[in-house]
Amino acid sequence: KGFETILSTADLLIRNSKLNFVWRVIGLTDKSNSVKIVKKWKKVNLKSINVELLGFKNDKEITEILLSSDIYCQVSHIENSPNSLCEAMMLGMKIIATNAGGSASLIRDNEEGIIIQDGDSLSMAGAIVELINDKEKALRLSENAKIKAIVTHNKSMIIADLLKVYESIIKEWHE
């Protein structure tokens, strides 16, 4: 759901910036069908563009990987409410996400992260460079993302809101 965007963006960064990076991808391996198809289509060697496929990880491993990363990129073409994006927000990561599905309802552009057009590798590369070069903006966005996630995913508030909905339905049903 966006692996070709990763490859195109990584290639742009290698060719046009002096960034020293490794783009770590959780959930994919060289044996993944999408990886095989996109590598053949793009005719690219992952090592040459600093893309590393990490395969499937458990929750602890994912948290460690995210905490050791500088930026979280959500590159999906289709999403509902991506848990991985919510997790990155909870960790206070710098976030770039494609305007696909529920991603744009979770973060506001230039408030909790940067939203780019789906599949736009040039914008993705530009946003990465922007967050690396503008440390104040990156810090502001990551702090805002964490605050929003803490409020949005507050278990007590979610339960209270759900109970209100049920009470309203029951009350309406008995009238």
Side-chain angles (χ1 to χ4, degrees), residues 43-61:
K43 297 180 176 106
V44 65
N45 176 310
L46 299 185
K47 286 186 180 183
S48 71
I49 57 172
N50 298 345
V51 173
E52 183 180 324
L53 304 179
L54 303 179
F56 294 98
K57 301 294 178 188
N58 65 38
D59 57 344
K60 185 178 179 185
E61 292 170 320

Side-chain angles (χ1 to χ4, degrees), residues 160-173:
D161 288 346
L162 188 57
L163 287 173
K164 284 180 189 175
V165 170
Y166 287 150
E167 289 169 1
S168 171
I169 292 169
I170 291 169
K171 182 179 177 185
E172 195 171 304
W173 192 36

Side-chain angles (χ1 to χ4, degrees), residues 65 102-103 107 144 158-159 171:
I65 292 164
S103 296
I107 64 170
N144 289 348
I158 292 169
I159 291 168
K171 182 179 177 185

